[in-house]
Amino acid sequence: MEQTKYSVGLDIGTTKIVAIIGKQNEYGKIEILGIGKSKSLGVHRGVVNNITQTIKSIQQAVEEAEANSGLKIGSVVVGIAGQHIRSLQHSDYITRKDSEEVIGEEDVDLLCNQVHKLIMLPGEEIIHVLPQEYKVDGQAEIREPVGMYGGRLEANFHVVVGQVVSIKNVGRCIKSAGLDLGNITLEPLASSDAVLSQEEKEAGVALIDIGGGTTDLAIFKDGIIRHTAVIPFGGGVITEDIKEGCSIIEKQAELLKTRFGSAWPGENRDNEIVSIPGLRGREPKEISLKNLSKIIHARVVEIIEQVYVEIKNYGHEEQKKKLIAGIVLTGGGSQLKHLKQLVEYITGMDTRIGYPNEHLAGDSDEEVASPLYATAVGLLMNAIKNQEKLKLTQEEILQEQELEQEEEELVYAERDTEAVARPNLHKERKSVFDKWSEKLKEFLDNAE
């Protein structure tokens, strides 16, 4: 299969690294061709802190995906998160040379590129420039300005900014793993592509992606991204708390959390106890499930409250900005028992768990449809979209080249025709003159 036929998403997480290969089928759904995952050892809270380990983990995940699919991975779309991510609102405009011509894609691109030139704080770089609403000659609330007449094109932008060093480190890991970096995407944006429907984005929704190292938030209203945030706590902090609180090793703490953990302490009775084998011949440990739930509950409440502060900062309490579709939880951390109920209790908002199966082909593996792979599926969707754009651009270039060639051929053909036509014209004139002189001669002969 050619490289152009499939795309690759690479999710570099704090707990796991996932490489996912897929393509779009004839129905517009995504067909997963191969998946590979490895334990992430060089990433802390979404940021690479050990280049060598991260490269090894990426190579491991990529090799597994290649073995599963029988395909070679070249270019990848990578997700970025971490405490260093921040977002800001910005307005900008361009004045068009000719208001008699309709606004084209190139005008919108020019406006977006202008925002990319904004001067950031030292050591920061713009990752995304997301247009929210446009204004054409003062007329506000325009979703799509392409095809309209106007002299001044204005827009409000949601600008996502990250640290140059962190972005460069991700790029370095990708290159050193023998891959090409196709694009870098903010992880909550990728997850939202995978688990949210267009209706939810229109009605207003907050996506909370609880990963191992970070909890990512993306808020949509009227189909437009309105707010993004990265909170530097995730499932890993809950595991850490269990490890400390129950004096056990991390591996056991993780197992306890996934098998018996609950975000609602009232669920467990006092007499429910789980026994954990002791280390190296020591006595086994008995842990009360009620205590375990209390430890988990305390940390989960802290994470949700921080996310809720961000939702309030966006302005959810204003009638116009109300998020009617409520909250969608995704990521590995969303699989914690009774988390949905706790989120509804704290925020008072409708909540559901987001699965990335809506965009996947019917015969996809059940494992991939887990919230655990929401970001990876979203990154794959992004990679497919980029490929489509590239294909369109290449087709446009080819069409332009063909047109230019045809025009050149026409010019040459016209020149040739002229060159051929001139001697003919000369002959024609000559023959008319000949005929006239013959007639004159005839007339004179008759006159005699």
Side-chain angles (χ1 to χ4, degrees):
M1 200 182 274
E2 318 156 39
Q3 172 65 28
T4 49
K5 295 277 191 225
Y6 59 90
S7 303
V8 186
L10 183 69
D11 176 17
I12 303 174
T14 305
T15 46
K16 65 178 189 329
I17 288 177
V18 180
I20 191 163
I21 308 175
K23 63 168 187 173
Q24 204 164 21
N25 65 15
E26 65 267 37
Y27 308 109
K29 295 284 181 188
I30 287 159
E31 220 172 281
I32 304 296
L33 303 170
I35 189 165
K37 63 176 186 290
S38 64
K39 196 166 169 46
S40 179
L41 300 167
V43 181
H44 179 65
R45 291 194 175 164
V47 178
V48 175
N49 66 355
N50 185 325
I51 296 269
T52 318
Q53 288 281 22
T54 306
I55 293 165
K56 270 188 195 166
S57 299
I58 290 171
Q59 284 170 333
Q60 214 177 315
V62 163
E63 278 163 20
E64 194 184 313
E66 286 178 338
N68 280 345
S69 62
L71 301 166
K72 187 91 186 85
I73 292 179
S75 172
V76 295
V77 166
V78 183
I80 194 158
Q83 201 169 353
H84 62 96
I85 300 286
R86 70 182 183 97
S87 59
L88 55 109
Q89 299 296 114
H90 175 73
S91 293
D92 216 325
Y93 73 92
I94 56 163
T95 307
R96 300 178 65 241
K97 285 175 191 168
D98 187 3
S99 58
E100 292 303 306
E101 261 186 44
V102 294
I103 296 166
E105 290 284 355
E106 58 280 0
D107 293 308
V108 176
D109 290 344
L110 186 69
L111 183 54
C112 289
N113 291 339
Q114 197 164 288
V115 180
H116 269 287
K117 289 172 192 158
L118 268 180
I119 293 161
M120 289 291 122
L121 292 173
E124 282 190 333
E125 192 178 297
I126 292 173
I127 302 168
H128 289 292
V129 168
L130 306 159
Q132 298 198 311
E133 278 148 340
Y134 295 93
K135 263 187 196 177
V136 176
D137 289 350
Q139 186 190 336
E141 292 185 8
I142 291 168
R143 294 270 190 98
E144 182 54 86
V146 175
M148 295 177 80
Y149 285 102
R152 180 184 160 113
L153 178 64
E154 215 173 321
N156 295 327
F157 293 95
H158 183 77
V159 183
V160 180
V161 182
Q163 267 177 9
V164 175
V165 177
S166 298
I167 298 164
K168 275 187 177 165
N169 284 340
V170 169
R172 166 103 198 279
C173 292
I174 299 296
K175 274 209 170 79
S176 303
L179 305 165
D180 291 330
L181 182 59
N183 198 7
I184 283 188
T185 301
L186 186 66
E187 289 193 354
L189 286 184
S191 309
S192 62
D193 281 346
V195 302
L196 297 180
S197 69
Q198 194 51 43
E199 288 88 347
E200 282 176 318
K201 288 181 182 179
E202 287 286 341
V205 66
L207 176 85
I208 303 171
D209 183 350
I210 307 169
T214 59
T215 297
D216 305 334
L217 171 74
I219 295 176
F220 290 84
K221 178 77 178 170
D222 301 326
I224 299 161
I225 181 111
R226 300 293 181 181
H227 188 72
T228 49
V230 177
I231 287 136
F233 301 114
V237 192
I238 301 169
T239 307
E240 198 68 30
D241 285 356
I242 297 168
K243 182 180 130 183
E244 301 287 324
C246 302
S247 304
I248 52 177
I249 61 169
E250 198 171 325
K251 201 177 171 185
Q252 292 172 332
E254 185 61 35
L255 267 171
L256 262 184
K257 180 182 81 174
T258 49
R259 290 243 186 110
F260 305 102
S262 163
W264 205 272
E267 279 300 307
N268 304 103
R269 288 188 289 276
D270 291 325
N271 59 356
E272 284 183 310
I273 283 167
V274 64
S275 183
I276 286 174
L279 296 173
R280 221 56 207 274
R282 290 176 179 82
E283 289 291 306
K285 249 194 179 106
E286 288 191 341
I287 289 161
S288 148
L289 289 188
K290 188 144 198 152
N291 283 347
L292 176 70
S293 289
K294 277 179 182 169
I295 294 167
I296 294 170
H297 176 80
R299 184 58 84 173
V300 171
V301 166
E302 190 189 340
I303 293 170
I304 296 163
E305 279 176 349
Q306 283 207 35
V307 174
Y308 195 41
V309 165
E310 288 290 343
I311 294 173
K312 281 179 186 166
N313 286 349
Y314 147 75
H316 161 66
E317 286 167 339
E318 292 172 36
Q319 192 54 43
K320 205 181 169 190
K321 292 183 171 182
K322 202 162 178 60
L323 304 176
I324 297 161
I327 289 172
V328 175
L329 296 169
T330 194
S334 68
Q335 294 173 302
L336 189 62
K337 247 183 269 167
H338 307 113
L339 179 65
K340 174 184 171 301
Q341 289 86 330
L342 182 63
V343 172
E344 283 181 339
Y345 177 72
I346 292 171
T347 63
M349 293 163 79
D350 281 347
T351 306
R352 75 169 177 92
I353 305 292
Y355 297 90
N357 52 5
E358 192 188 325
H359 303 280
L360 298 176
D363 56 355
S364 293
D365 193 347
E366 257 179 57
E367 186 194 14
V368 187
S370 154
L372 208 65
Y373 295 107
T375 306
V377 170
L379 291 168
L380 172 61
M381 287 169 69
N382 194 290
I384 289 170
K385 230 181 273 176
N386 285 353
Q387 202 127 41
E388 286 299 309
K389 272 185 199 166
L390 195 71
K391 216 160 113 190
L392 281 171
T393 314
Q394 284 171 344
E395 278 172 14
E396 279 169 15
I397 291 165
L398 278 170
Q399 279 173 355
E400 270 178 32
Q401 284 172 346
E402 279 170 16
L403 275 169
E404 278 169 18
Q405 213 172 335
E406 279 172 20
E407 277 171 14
E408 274 175 30
E409 282 168 8
L410 269 170
V411 169
Y412 286 127
E414 277 170 12
R415 279 182 196 161
D416 292 346
T417 318
E418 273 179 33
V420 171
R422 273 176 198 141
N424 286 352
L425 197 68
H426 193 57
K427 277 177 195 168
E428 224 173 281
R429 281 181 188 156
K430 211 170 160 187
S431 60
V432 167
F433 180 72
D434 286 348
K435 280 177 189 171
W436 182 77
S437 44
E438 275 167 22
K439 277 184 181 175
L440 182 68
K441 203 179 166 192
E442 209 177 313
F443 174 74
L444 291 170
D445 287 344
N446 290 340
E448 281 168 6

